[in-house]
PDB file of all heavy atoms in Angstrom:
ATOM      1  N   ALA A 197     -10.341  13.426  -3.686  1.00  0.00           N
ATOM      2  CA  ALA A 197     -11.622  13.021  -4.299  1.00  0.00           C
ATOM      3  C   ALA A 197     -11.518  13.169  -5.857  1.00  0.00           C
ATOM      4  O   ALA A 197     -12.026  12.324  -6.621  1.00  0.00           O
ATOM      5  CB  ALA A 197     -12.772  13.839  -3.783  1.00  0.00           C
ATOM      6  N   THR A 198     -10.912  14.188  -6.319  1.00  0.00           N
ATOM      7  CA  THR A 198     -10.699  14.391  -7.736  1.00  0.00           C
ATOM      8  C   THR A 198     -10.003  13.261  -8.427  1.00  0.00           C
ATOM      9  O   THR A 198     -10.200  12.896  -9.574  1.00  0.00           O
ATOM     10  CB  THR A 198     -10.018  15.790  -8.014  1.00  0.00           C
ATOM     11  OG1 THR A 198     -10.805  16.844  -7.476  1.00  0.00           O
ATOM     12  CG2 THR A 198      -9.760  15.980  -9.521  1.00  0.00           C
ATOM     13  N   HIS A 199      -8.982  12.706  -7.662  1.00  0.00           N
ATOM     14  CA  HIS A 199      -8.185  11.589  -8.214  1.00  0.00           C
ATOM     15  C   HIS A 199      -8.744  10.241  -7.847  1.00  0.00           C
ATOM     16  O   HIS A 199      -8.221   9.187  -8.161  1.00  0.00           O
ATOM     17  CB  HIS A 199      -6.748  11.706  -7.648  1.00  0.00           C
ATOM     18  CG  HIS A 199      -5.939  12.785  -8.360  1.00  0.00           C
ATOM     19  ND1 HIS A 199      -5.025  12.449  -9.280  1.00  0.00           N
ATOM     20  CD2 HIS A 199      -5.935  14.139  -8.185  1.00  0.00           C
ATOM     21  CE1 HIS A 199      -4.443  13.578  -9.706  1.00  0.00           C
ATOM     22  NE2 HIS A 199      -4.994  14.589  -9.077  1.00  0.00           N
ATOM     23  N   GLY A 200      -9.894  10.233  -7.100  1.00  0.00           N
ATOM     24  CA  GLY A 200     -10.523   8.962  -6.773  1.00  0.00           C
ATOM     25  C   GLY A 200      -9.781   8.169  -5.732  1.00  0.00           C
ATOM     26  O   GLY A 200      -9.828   6.903  -5.695  1.00  0.00           O
ATOM     27  N   VAL A 201      -9.044   8.843  -4.844  1.00  0.00           N
ATOM     28  CA  VAL A 201      -8.246   8.171  -3.771  1.00  0.00           C
ATOM     29  C   VAL A 201      -8.901   8.447  -2.436  1.00  0.00           C
ATOM     30  O   VAL A 201      -9.303   9.535  -2.087  1.00  0.00           O
ATOM     31  CB  VAL A 201      -6.797   8.695  -3.808  1.00  0.00           C
ATOM     32  CG1 VAL A 201      -5.933   8.035  -2.754  1.00  0.00           C
ATOM     33  CG2 VAL A 201      -6.201   8.602  -5.161  1.00  0.00           C
ATOM     34  N   PRO A 202      -9.031   7.398  -1.604  1.00  0.00           N
ATOM     35  CA  PRO A 202      -9.623   7.575  -0.276  1.00  0.00           C
ATOM     36  C   PRO A 202      -8.779   8.564   0.558  1.00  0.00           C
ATOM     37  O   PRO A 202      -7.589   8.717   0.398  1.00  0.00           O
ATOM     38  CB  PRO A 202      -9.564   6.157   0.331  1.00  0.00           C
ATOM     39  CG  PRO A 202      -9.472   5.210  -0.842  1.00  0.00           C
ATOM     40  CD  PRO A 202      -8.701   5.979  -1.883  1.00  0.00           C
ATOM     41  N   VAL A 203      -9.444   9.191   1.551  1.00  0.00           N
ATOM     42  CA  VAL A 203      -8.771  10.149   2.381  1.00  0.00           C
ATOM     43  C   VAL A 203      -9.089   9.962   3.869  1.00  0.00           C
ATOM     44  O   VAL A 203     -10.116   9.449   4.204  1.00  0.00           O
ATOM     45  CB  VAL A 203      -9.229  11.572   1.957  1.00  0.00           C
ATOM     46  CG1 VAL A 203     -10.705  11.825   2.286  1.00  0.00           C
ATOM     47  CG2 VAL A 203      -8.290  12.652   2.577  1.00  0.00           C
ATOM     48  N   LEU A 204      -8.108  10.296   4.646  1.00  0.00           N
ATOM     49  CA  LEU A 204      -8.228  10.368   6.130  1.00  0.00           C
ATOM     50  C   LEU A 204      -7.734  11.724   6.625  1.00  0.00           C
ATOM     51  O   LEU A 204      -6.980  12.376   5.877  1.00  0.00           O
ATOM     52  CB  LEU A 204      -7.502   9.327   6.832  1.00  0.00           C
ATOM     53  CG  LEU A 204      -8.019   7.826   6.845  1.00  0.00           C
ATOM     54  CD1 LEU A 204      -7.014   6.923   7.493  1.00  0.00           C
ATOM     55  CD2 LEU A 204      -9.382   7.722   7.517  1.00  0.00           C
ATOM     56  N   GLU A 205      -8.145  12.128   7.848  1.00  0.00           N
ATOM     57  CA  GLU A 205      -7.487  13.251   8.477  1.00  0.00           C
ATOM     58  C   GLU A 205      -7.209  12.866   9.881  1.00  0.00           C
ATOM     59  O   GLU A 205      -8.042  12.397  10.640  1.00  0.00           O
ATOM     60  CB  GLU A 205      -8.403  14.497   8.426  1.00  0.00           C
ATOM     61  CG  GLU A 205      -7.703  15.777   9.072  1.00  0.00           C
ATOM     62  CD  GLU A 205      -8.444  17.024   8.903  1.00  0.00           C
ATOM     63  OE1 GLU A 205      -9.557  17.059   8.402  1.00  0.00           O
ATOM     64  OE2 GLU A 205      -7.843  18.104   9.212  1.00  0.00           O
ATOM     65  N   VAL A 206      -5.949  13.113  10.336  1.00  0.00           N
ATOM     66  CA  VAL A 206      -5.460  12.774  11.677  1.00  0.00           C
ATOM     67  C   VAL A 206      -4.894  14.048  12.274  1.00  0.00           C
ATOM     68  O   VAL A 206      -3.962  14.673  11.726  1.00  0.00           O
ATOM     69  CB  VAL A 206      -4.431  11.654  11.664  1.00  0.00           C
ATOM     70  CG1 VAL A 206      -3.922  11.407  13.041  1.00  0.00           C
ATOM     71  CG2 VAL A 206      -4.992  10.384  11.000  1.00  0.00           C
ATOM     72  N   ARG A 207      -5.412  14.465  13.409  1.00  0.00           N
ATOM     73  CA  ARG A 207      -4.932  15.636  14.157  1.00  0.00           C
ATOM     74  C   ARG A 207      -4.591  15.331  15.549  1.00  0.00           C
ATOM     75  O   ARG A 207      -5.278  14.561  16.209  1.00  0.00           O
ATOM     76  CB  ARG A 207      -6.046  16.761  14.123  1.00  0.00           C
ATOM     77  CG  ARG A 207      -6.338  17.249  12.725  1.00  0.00           C
ATOM     78  CD  ARG A 207      -5.265  18.175  12.222  1.00  0.00           C
ATOM     79  NE  ARG A 207      -5.460  18.452  10.768  1.00  0.00           N
ATOM     80  CZ  ARG A 207      -4.592  19.193  10.026  1.00  0.00           C
ATOM     81  NH1 ARG A 207      -3.531  19.783  10.650  1.00  0.00           N
ATOM     82  NH2 ARG A 207      -4.767  19.367   8.761  1.00  0.00           N
ATOM     83  N   THR A 208      -3.521  15.956  16.089  1.00  0.00           N
ATOM     84  CA  THR A 208      -3.222  15.921  17.472  1.00  0.00           C
ATOM     85  C   THR A 208      -3.429  17.398  18.018  1.00  0.00           C
ATOM     86  O   THR A 208      -3.071  18.365  17.310  1.00  0.00           O
ATOM     87  CB  THR A 208      -1.819  15.435  17.782  1.00  0.00           C
ATOM     88  OG1 THR A 208      -0.876  16.208  16.984  1.00  0.00           O
ATOM     89  CG2 THR A 208      -1.691  13.988  17.374  1.00  0.00           C
ATOM     90  N   ILE A 209      -3.887  17.443  19.198  1.00  0.00           N
ATOM     91  CA  ILE A 209      -4.450  18.757  19.718  1.00  0.00           C
ATOM     92  C   ILE A 209      -3.370  19.497  20.461  1.00  0.00           C
ATOM     93  O   ILE A 209      -2.778  19.040  21.449  1.00  0.00           O
ATOM     94  CB  ILE A 209      -5.665  18.556  20.607  1.00  0.00           C
ATOM     95  CG1 ILE A 209      -6.685  17.811  19.868  1.00  0.00           C
ATOM     96  CG2 ILE A 209      -6.202  19.881  21.074  1.00  0.00           C
ATOM     97  CD1 ILE A 209      -7.131  18.386  18.545  1.00  0.00           C
ATOM     98  N   SER A 210      -3.069  20.742  19.947  1.00  0.00           N
ATOM     99  CA  SER A 210      -1.996  21.597  20.600  1.00  0.00           C
ATOM    100  C   SER A 210      -2.565  22.747  21.365  1.00  0.00           C
ATOM    101  O   SER A 210      -1.881  23.395  22.134  1.00  0.00           O
ATOM    102  CB  SER A 210      -1.073  22.112  19.468  1.00  0.00           C
ATOM    103  OG  SER A 210      -1.838  22.934  18.531  1.00  0.00           O
ATOM    104  N   ASN A 211      -3.847  23.097  21.077  1.00  0.00           N
ATOM    105  CA  ASN A 211      -4.404  24.258  21.773  1.00  0.00           C
ATOM    106  C   ASN A 211      -5.950  24.191  21.736  1.00  0.00           C
ATOM    107  O   ASN A 211      -6.524  23.311  20.995  1.00  0.00           O
ATOM    108  CB  ASN A 211      -3.992  25.576  21.054  1.00  0.00           C
ATOM    109  CG  ASN A 211      -4.426  25.559  19.535  1.00  0.00           C
ATOM    110  OD1 ASN A 211      -3.789  24.951  18.662  1.00  0.00           O
ATOM    111  ND2 ASN A 211      -5.557  26.135  19.248  1.00  0.00           N
ATOM    112  N   ALA A 212      -6.606  24.928  22.570  1.00  0.00           N
ATOM    113  CA  ALA A 212      -8.031  24.963  22.651  1.00  0.00           C
ATOM    114  C   ALA A 212      -8.548  25.960  21.577  1.00  0.00           C
ATOM    115  O   ALA A 212      -7.905  26.988  21.362  1.00  0.00           O
ATOM    116  CB  ALA A 212      -8.511  25.390  24.009  1.00  0.00           C
ATOM    117  N   VAL A 213      -9.667  25.600  20.921  1.00  0.00           N
ATOM    118  CA  VAL A 213     -10.316  26.502  20.005  1.00  0.00           C
ATOM    119  C   VAL A 213     -11.005  27.618  20.821  1.00  0.00           C
ATOM    120  O   VAL A 213     -11.743  27.354  21.741  1.00  0.00           O
ATOM    121  CB  VAL A 213     -11.380  25.748  19.151  1.00  0.00           C
ATOM    122  CG1 VAL A 213     -12.109  26.732  18.248  1.00  0.00           C
ATOM    123  CG2 VAL A 213     -10.666  24.701  18.296  1.00  0.00           C
ATOM    124  N   GLY A 214     -10.686  28.880  20.460  1.00  0.00           N
ATOM    125  CA  GLY A 214     -11.248  29.980  21.170  1.00  0.00           C
ATOM    126  C   GLY A 214     -10.290  31.121  21.269  1.00  0.00           C
ATOM    127  O   GLY A 214      -9.398  31.267  20.388  1.00  0.00           O
ATOM    128  N   PRO A 215     -10.323  31.927  22.316  1.00  0.00           N
ATOM    129  CA  PRO A 215      -9.416  33.054  22.478  1.00  0.00           C
ATOM    130  C   PRO A 215      -7.961  32.594  22.369  1.00  0.00           C
ATOM    131  O   PRO A 215      -7.542  31.611  22.977  1.00  0.00           O
ATOM    132  CB  PRO A 215      -9.760  33.623  23.892  1.00  0.00           C
ATOM    133  CG  PRO A 215     -11.141  33.233  24.070  1.00  0.00           C
ATOM    134  CD  PRO A 215     -11.307  31.921  23.427  1.00  0.00           C
ATOM    135  N   ARG A 216      -7.107  33.329  21.628  1.00  0.00           N
ATOM    136  CA  ARG A 216      -5.766  32.945  21.401  1.00  0.00           C
ATOM    137  C   ARG A 216      -4.898  33.225  22.617  1.00  0.00           C
ATOM    138  O   ARG A 216      -4.735  34.356  23.067  1.00  0.00           O
ATOM    139  CB  ARG A 216      -5.138  33.615  20.172  1.00  0.00           C
ATOM    140  CG  ARG A 216      -5.803  33.176  18.894  1.00  0.00           C
ATOM    141  CD  ARG A 216      -5.381  34.031  17.709  1.00  0.00           C
ATOM    142  NE  ARG A 216      -3.956  33.892  17.420  1.00  0.00           N
ATOM    143  CZ  ARG A 216      -3.420  32.857  16.727  1.00  0.00           C
ATOM    144  NH1 ARG A 216      -4.192  31.904  16.314  1.00  0.00           N
ATOM    145  NH2 ARG A 216      -2.129  32.797  16.474  1.00  0.00           N
ATOM    146  N   ASP A 217      -4.378  32.094  23.237  1.00  0.00           N
ATOM    147  CA  ASP A 217      -3.525  32.226  24.439  1.00  0.00           C
ATOM    148  C   ASP A 217      -2.290  31.411  24.161  1.00  0.00           C
ATOM    149  O   ASP A 217      -2.170  30.217  24.428  1.00  0.00           O
ATOM    150  CB  ASP A 217      -4.235  31.627  25.639  1.00  0.00           C
ATOM    151  CG  ASP A 217      -3.440  31.746  26.904  1.00  0.00           C
ATOM    152  OD1 ASP A 217      -2.312  32.282  26.822  1.00  0.00           O
ATOM    153  OD2 ASP A 217      -3.813  31.236  27.942  1.00  0.00           O
ATOM    154  N   ARG A 218      -1.307  32.051  23.517  1.00  0.00           N
ATOM    155  CA  ARG A 218      -0.097  31.298  23.094  1.00  0.00           C
ATOM    156  C   ARG A 218       0.617  30.614  24.237  1.00  0.00           C
ATOM    157  O   ARG A 218       1.249  29.626  24.084  1.00  0.00           O
ATOM    158  CB  ARG A 218       0.851  32.292  22.385  1.00  0.00           C
ATOM    159  CG  ARG A 218       0.293  32.787  21.034  1.00  0.00           C
ATOM    160  CD  ARG A 218       1.230  33.734  20.313  1.00  0.00           C
ATOM    161  NE  ARG A 218       2.436  33.019  19.842  1.00  0.00           N
ATOM    162  CZ  ARG A 218       2.519  32.528  18.553  1.00  0.00           C
ATOM    163  NH1 ARG A 218       1.489  32.621  17.742  1.00  0.00           N
ATOM    164  NH2 ARG A 218       3.591  31.873  18.218  1.00  0.00           N
ATOM    165  N   ALA A 219       0.503  31.228  25.438  1.00  0.00           N
ATOM    166  CA  ALA A 219       1.232  30.593  26.573  1.00  0.00           C
ATOM    167  C   ALA A 219       0.612  29.249  26.901  1.00  0.00           C
ATOM    168  O   ALA A 219       1.292  28.446  27.567  1.00  0.00           O
ATOM    169  CB  ALA A 219       1.122  31.525  27.773  1.00  0.00           C
ATOM    170  N   ALA A 220      -0.639  29.016  26.480  1.00  0.00           N
ATOM    171  CA  ALA A 220      -1.301  27.770  26.817  1.00  0.00           C
ATOM    172  C   ALA A 220      -1.135  26.708  25.717  1.00  0.00           C
ATOM    173  O   ALA A 220      -1.548  25.583  25.899  1.00  0.00           O
ATOM    174  CB  ALA A 220      -2.787  27.996  27.041  1.00  0.00           C
ATOM    175  N   TRP A 221      -0.528  27.075  24.595  1.00  0.00           N
ATOM    176  CA  TRP A 221      -0.314  26.139  23.482  1.00  0.00           C
ATOM    177  C   TRP A 221       0.742  25.056  23.930  1.00  0.00           C
ATOM    178  O   TRP A 221       1.685  25.294  24.610  1.00  0.00           O
ATOM    179  CB  TRP A 221       0.167  26.814  22.245  1.00  0.00           C
ATOM    180  CG  TRP A 221      -0.840  27.737  21.655  1.00  0.00           C
ATOM    181  CD1 TRP A 221      -2.110  28.028  22.118  1.00  0.00           C
ATOM    182  CD2 TRP A 221      -0.653  28.575  20.467  1.00  0.00           C
ATOM    183  NE1 TRP A 221      -2.728  28.929  21.327  1.00  0.00           N
ATOM    184  CE2 TRP A 221      -1.896  29.262  20.242  1.00  0.00           C
ATOM    185  CE3 TRP A 221       0.356  28.707  19.583  1.00  0.00           C
ATOM    186  CZ2 TRP A 221      -2.093  30.143  19.206  1.00  0.00           C
ATOM    187  CZ3 TRP A 221       0.181  29.562  18.539  1.00  0.00           C
ATOM    188  CH2 TRP A 221      -0.984  30.275  18.352  1.00  0.00           C
ATOM    189  N   ARG A 222       0.498  23.877  23.410  1.00  0.00           N
ATOM    190  CA  ARG A 222       1.381  22.745  23.747  1.00  0.00           C
ATOM    191  C   ARG A 222       1.789  22.038  22.388  1.00  0.00           C
ATOM    192  O   ARG A 222       1.420  20.982  22.061  1.00  0.00           O
ATOM    193  CB  ARG A 222       0.746  21.748  24.613  1.00  0.00           C
ATOM    194  CG  ARG A 222       0.375  22.286  26.016  1.00  0.00           C
ATOM    195  CD  ARG A 222       1.636  22.665  26.815  1.00  0.00           C
ATOM    196  NE  ARG A 222       1.293  23.207  28.167  1.00  0.00           N
ATOM    197  CZ  ARG A 222       1.192  24.478  28.444  1.00  0.00           C
ATOM    198  NH1 ARG A 222       1.410  25.400  27.451  1.00  0.00           N
ATOM    199  NH2 ARG A 222       0.904  24.910  29.651  1.00  0.00           N
ATOM    200  N   ILE A 223       2.542  22.837  21.628  1.00  0.00           N
ATOM    201  CA  ILE A 223       2.925  22.391  20.219  1.00  0.00           C
ATOM    202  C   ILE A 223       3.850  21.157  20.282  1.00  0.00           C
ATOM    203  O   ILE A 223       3.706  20.187  19.591  1.00  0.00           O
ATOM    204  CB  ILE A 223       3.544  23.514  19.472  1.00  0.00           C
ATOM    205  CG1 ILE A 223       2.453  24.560  19.155  1.00  0.00           C
ATOM    206  CG2 ILE A 223       4.152  23.013  18.105  1.00  0.00           C
ATOM    207  CD1 ILE A 223       2.962  25.825  18.420  1.00  0.00           C
ATOM    208  N   GLY A 224       4.867  21.281  21.180  1.00  0.00           N
ATOM    209  CA  GLY A 224       5.862  20.166  21.275  1.00  0.00           C
ATOM    210  C   GLY A 224       5.228  18.790  21.602  1.00  0.00           C
ATOM    211  O   GLY A 224       5.379  17.819  20.913  1.00  0.00           O
ATOM    212  N   PRO A 225       4.369  18.764  22.709  1.00  0.00           N
ATOM    213  CA  PRO A 225       3.661  17.530  22.973  1.00  0.00           C
ATOM    214  C   PRO A 225       2.759  17.079  21.889  1.00  0.00           C
ATOM    215  O   PRO A 225       2.605  15.840  21.668  1.00  0.00           O
ATOM    216  CB  PRO A 225       2.914  17.850  24.256  1.00  0.00           C
ATOM    217  CG  PRO A 225       3.685  18.909  24.938  1.00  0.00           C
ATOM    218  CD  PRO A 225       4.264  19.726  23.793  1.00  0.00           C
ATOM    219  N   ALA A 226       2.091  17.982  21.196  1.00  0.00           N
ATOM    220  CA  ALA A 226       1.234  17.586  20.123  1.00  0.00           C
ATOM    221  C   ALA A 226       2.020  17.015  18.992  1.00  0.00           C
ATOM    222  O   ALA A 226       1.553  15.965  18.351  1.00  0.00           O
ATOM    223  CB  ALA A 226       0.467  18.813  19.632  1.00  0.00           C
ATOM    224  N   LEU A 227       3.204  17.509  18.660  1.00  0.00           N
ATOM    225  CA  LEU A 227       4.020  16.914  17.653  1.00  0.00           C
ATOM    226  C   LEU A 227       4.497  15.501  18.009  1.00  0.00           C
ATOM    227  O   LEU A 227       4.552  14.572  17.212  1.00  0.00           O
ATOM    228  CB  LEU A 227       5.253  17.799  17.346  1.00  0.00           C
ATOM    229  CG  LEU A 227       4.854  19.140  16.541  1.00  0.00           C
ATOM    230  CD1 LEU A 227       6.062  20.025  16.500  1.00  0.00           C
ATOM    231  CD2 LEU A 227       4.340  18.847  15.198  1.00  0.00           C
TER     232      LEU A 227
END
Side-chain angles (χ1 to χ4, degrees):
T198 299
H199 283 258
V201 182
V203 69
L204 286 175
E205 183 169 9
V206 178
R207 294 286 166 182
T208 53
I209 304 305
S210 59
N211 58 277
V213 175
R216 291 173 65 80
D217 179 7
R218 295 180 69 92
W221 292 1
R222 298 293 181 265
I223 293 176
L227 291 172

